[in-house]
Amino acid sequence: MLDSLLAYPQTLLGPLWPAVWTLVKIIVIVVPLMLCVAYLTLWERKLIGFMQIRIGPNRTTFFGLSWLGGWAQPIADGLKLLVKEIIVPTGANKFLFVLAPIMAIMPALAAWAVVPFSPELVLSNIDASLLYLLAMTSLGVYGVIIAGWASNSKYAFLGALRSAAQIVSYEIAMGFALVGVLMAAQSLNLGEIVKAQQGGAGLFSWFWVPLFPLFMTYLISGVAETNRAPFDVAEGESEIVAGFHVEYSGMTFAVFFLAEYANMILISMLTAILFLGGWLSPFPASWGVLGASSFGWLILKAFLVVSSFLWFRATFPRYRYDQIMRLGWKIFIPVTLVWIVVLGAWMQTSLWIWWK
Amino acid sequence: MFWFFAAILVFAALRVITARNPVHAALFLVLAFCTSAGIWIQLEAEFLGIALVLVYVGAVMVLFLFVVMMLDINLERLREGFWSYLPIGAVVALLLVAEMALVLSGPYFGLDEAPRPASSPAGYSNTKELGRLLYTDYVYPFELAAVILLVAIVAAIALTLRRRKHGKYIDPAMQIKVRREDRVRIVSMPSEKGGNE
């Protein structure tokens, strides 16, 4: 069906076809992602509202559909930011000032190229996709640093320094957690990693069981990597106003915002894929639709992880900066190192039951 | 594709040494690293290409930028000694060019010496092959390099480690263990008599 539909543009475009078709696939990924980002902001405000016994945004609606709550809020916010003036501070480096938000969102979107949505559905099924993801997430810090420096503002610069040190530190713990995953899965390919979690034990054959310390490290480092509360000292408003993006307004600010939320969704998607079995169903295969592995399970797992990010924000007070560094270097890195050694020894024995 | 990447690479590398602003120079170095990673990936060395981005762009250059941004570099003073250093710099540059020319024009380099590698079979994993070589054939040099790096890390930390004598260090474990009884003393006092309501 799809092949016959695609035959006509294929002959029409000729040699340009692969580029155009890839572009179409990229759009198919990015547009829903941006919608998810928009509605994640609404969900964040709603969920934290529920947790604090408030209602959250409930005024902005379309067509008077008030029972849906403030479901037009993200659109209204986006529109407002879109038409606001972009103010470039005096003495700022104009080129880098504009480049910084682009540098922030570029890796957040580029990483999605290797994320598999189902066994076949992936934009680019490369062999070393886990490495590619690590490389892309490590590029995200440039947006923050360049923004802090180009703004010609002390607050922004302090925020950028904090954020850069924090991201570089937590990347190490994150990388070690991923080393554990690739050891257990014996592959760097995300699709293969999910397949390695397919076992008879359903829920318990996923990697969160044998790699539990790494799972916790990855999850918490993920929160720190995306500069989310309780690790959001980069924008600690009580100390440095709003950190690296204090001088940004209008759409340039919105792009930073989009990048942060896209990164959040990416990290939760990866947690779901690497540790929570991806598209595999937690129920036995005999349960029909519930037992079948599907895209819906992946979305559900990612949704739960991303909601827990919001939960953390509503629950914990902000960490002090030296304690963030202590947690990253003195707790997470030793924990991951010890568990990698334990895992290596464990996999050599017959007690290892996760792959045959 | 190669020429496209090569042109960007040469341009970025030139800008690294000609850019007036050191932060711009560092960012052009980042661009140069990314482009050379692109060239490596085209040569089917995807592990090396990604590792270059991961290690150099993602970690080393971030710290580098960090330092460069905090330095207050006075360009006028840097340029003062330009003419007096030019002769020795030129000699070093000429020597380097001559050495490279000697090595590259020797009998071991050239298109004839390096035949086009056979295209790799399907399912070939660059990463797996590298790992196999590193941990079997080259395991001793590899471990040796790791130990040397470890010694360097320990030495660097030992050189810069200083304990502050009057630092107000807080032990988080102690903070967590604090109980109410340690901080608050409940005193029972007889209430005052005869207030004027």
Side-chain angles (χ1 to χ4, degrees):
Chain A
M1 171 67 184
L2 194 65
D3 285 337
S4 57
L5 270 180
L6 290 177
Y8 176 64
Q10 212 160 356
T11 50
L12 194 69
L13 289 163
L16 280 176
W17 169 248
V20 172
W21 181 229
T22 313
L23 216 60
V24 168
K25 286 196 270 193
I26 289 173
I27 291 170
V28 167
I29 293 177
V30 168
V31 169
L33 177 66
M34 285 292 120
L35 278 178
C36 285
V37 166
Y39 277 91
L40 180 59
T41 61
L42 179 66
W43 172 237
E44 174 173 35
R45 294 165 72 180
K46 277 283 188 192
L47 186 71
I48 294 180
F50 297 152
M51 286 177 179
Q52 295 166 347
I53 323 181
R54 307 182 273 114
I55 299 171
N58 68 337
R59 294 289 148 186
T60 329
T61 55
F62 287 135
F63 320 117
L65 288 174
S66 55
W67 53 271
L68 270 170
W71 69 289
Q73 190 70 44
I75 313 287
D77 287 344
L79 213 61
K80 185 198 81 174
L81 287 168
L82 203 62
V83 297
K84 261 177 96 170
E85 184 189 356
I86 296 171
I87 299 163
V88 181
T90 47
N93 189 320
K94 210 173 223 168
F95 177 69
L96 289 183
F97 189 78
V98 178
L99 184 73
I102 301 171
M103 286 296 287
I105 199 161
M106 184 273 290
L109 296 183
W112 285 88
V114 296
V115 173
F117 297 102
S118 81
E120 303 86 34
L121 208 63
V122 51
L123 178 60
S124 159
N125 195 4
I126 61 173
D127 181 48
S129 46
L130 200 59
L131 266 179
Y132 171 84
L133 272 174
L134 263 180
M136 279 301 136
T137 45
S138 71
L139 287 185
V141 64
Y142 278 100
V144 175
I145 301 189
I146 295 174
W149 186 77
S151 302
N152 191 31
S153 153
K154 285 193 177 63
Y155 289 126
F157 189 55
L158 281 173
L161 288 186
R162 284 181 175 197
S163 164
Q166 178 185 334
I167 292 182
V168 169
S169 318
Y170 276 85
E171 226 166 57
I172 301 172
M174 218 167 173
F176 277 132
L178 295 186
V179 167
V181 172
L182 68 94
M183 273 168 74
Q186 299 208 312
S187 173
L188 277 169
N189 185 296
L190 291 174
E192 296 293 320
I193 288 173
V194 175
K195 273 176 210 147
Q197 301 180 54
Q198 211 157 18
L203 193 64
F204 297 100
S205 53
W206 302 342
F207 281 155
W208 67 273
V209 182
L211 306 177
F212 190 71
L214 301 184
F215 171 54
M216 291 317 286
T217 308
Y218 186 83
L219 196 60
I220 300 171
S221 303
V223 181
E225 276 280 290
T226 47
N227 278 328
R228 295 284 303 173
F231 301 104
D232 59 345
V233 287
E235 46 190 280
E237 62 269 10
S238 52
E239 305 137 23
I240 49 172
V241 199
F244 62 91
H245 55 48
V246 62
E247 303 290 352
Y248 282 85
S249 62
M251 211 50 210
T252 47
F253 168 75
V255 171
F256 273 120
F257 210 69
L258 290 178
E260 181 183 330
Y261 281 77
N263 265 327
M264 260 167 79
I265 299 179
L266 177 72
I267 294 280
S268 36
M269 202 76 163
L270 287 180
T271 315
I273 288 172
L274 298 175
F275 294 98
L276 300 176
W279 50 77
L280 302 176
S281 161
F283 300 118
S286 55
W287 282 30
V289 180
L290 274 182
S293 56
S294 73
F295 179 55
W297 285 115
L298 181 62
I299 294 294
L300 181 70
K301 287 166 187 169
F303 175 74
L304 290 180
V305 176
V306 92
S307 299
S308 67
F309 273 41
L310 310 179
W311 184 17
F312 298 152
R313 180 176 167 190
T315 309
F316 296 116
R318 185 177 291 135
Y319 256 72
R320 214 173 58 201
Y321 190 70
D322 62 320
Q323 289 176 345
I324 290 185
M325 283 301 170
R326 178 179 165 274
L327 183 72
W329 286 98
K330 291 191 177 171
I331 298 178
F332 281 164
I333 293 180
V335 162
T336 48
L337 280 176
V338 166
W339 201 255
I340 285 173
V341 175
V342 170
L343 188 71
W346 190 3
M347 282 170 65
Q348 299 304 318
T349 65
S350 58
L351 292 173
W352 180 260
I353 48 174
W354 275 271
W355 46 263
K356 299 288 176 283
Chain B
M1 263 321 240
F2 170 76
W3 295 111
F4 177 68
F5 276 96
I8 295 179
L9 179 56
V10 169
F11 168 73
L14 271 177
R15 289 296 288 156
V16 172
I17 49 172
T18 55
R20 289 183 166 223
N21 191 326
V23 174
H24 289 187
L27 288 172
F28 273 113
L29 191 53
V30 171
L31 178 62
F33 278 136
C34 288
T35 326
S36 39
I39 290 181
W40 282 3
I41 288 174
Q42 283 189 339
L43 294 174
E44 297 186 9
E46 73 265 11
F47 179 80
L48 285 180
I50 295 175
L52 183 74
V53 172
L54 183 59
V55 175
Y56 278 90
V57 179
V60 174
M61 284 313 292
V62 171
L63 299 178
F64 210 84
L65 261 182
F66 213 93
V67 175
V68 168
M69 281 174 178
M70 284 196 283
L71 290 178
D72 188 21
I73 295 175
N74 190 340
L75 284 177
E76 288 305 311
R77 275 195 53 205
L78 272 182
R79 232 172 279 151
E80 261 171 23
F82 181 74
W83 289 107
S84 56
Y85 289 124
L86 186 63
I88 193 164
V91 168
V92 171
L94 278 177
L95 259 179
L96 273 176
V97 170
E99 281 177 354
M100 274 166 66
L102 275 177
V103 170
L104 290 178
S105 63
Y108 302 112
F109 278 93
L111 280 179
D112 313 329
E113 296 300 323
R116 195 184 165 76
S119 59
S120 35
Y124 169 82
S125 167
N126 193 301
T127 318
K128 209 172 237 169
E129 287 305 314
L130 268 176
R132 187 167 290 143
L133 274 180
L134 272 184
Y135 286 102
T136 53
D137 292 1
Y138 297 100
V139 67
Y140 292 117
F142 182 66
E143 296 288 324
L144 212 63
V147 170
I148 290 172
L149 280 176
L150 184 66
V151 170
I153 293 172
V154 173
I157 293 173
L159 280 177
T160 52
L161 183 70
R162 74 193 162 104
R163 292 208 180 276
R164 301 184 80 172
K165 277 192 186 115
H166 308 292
K168 295 192 170 99
Y169 180 71
I170 301 164
D171 185 1
M174 298 277 281
Q175 279 182 312
I176 293 170
K177 269 188 219 145
V178 159
R179 288 166 308 151
R180 194 187 62 179
E181 290 81 55
D182 301 337
R183 294 282 167 90
V184 182
R185 187 164 53 96
I186 294 172
V187 199
S188 71
M189 281 174 75
S191 58
E192 286 181 34
K193 296 235 176 78
N196 295 332
E197 273 92 343

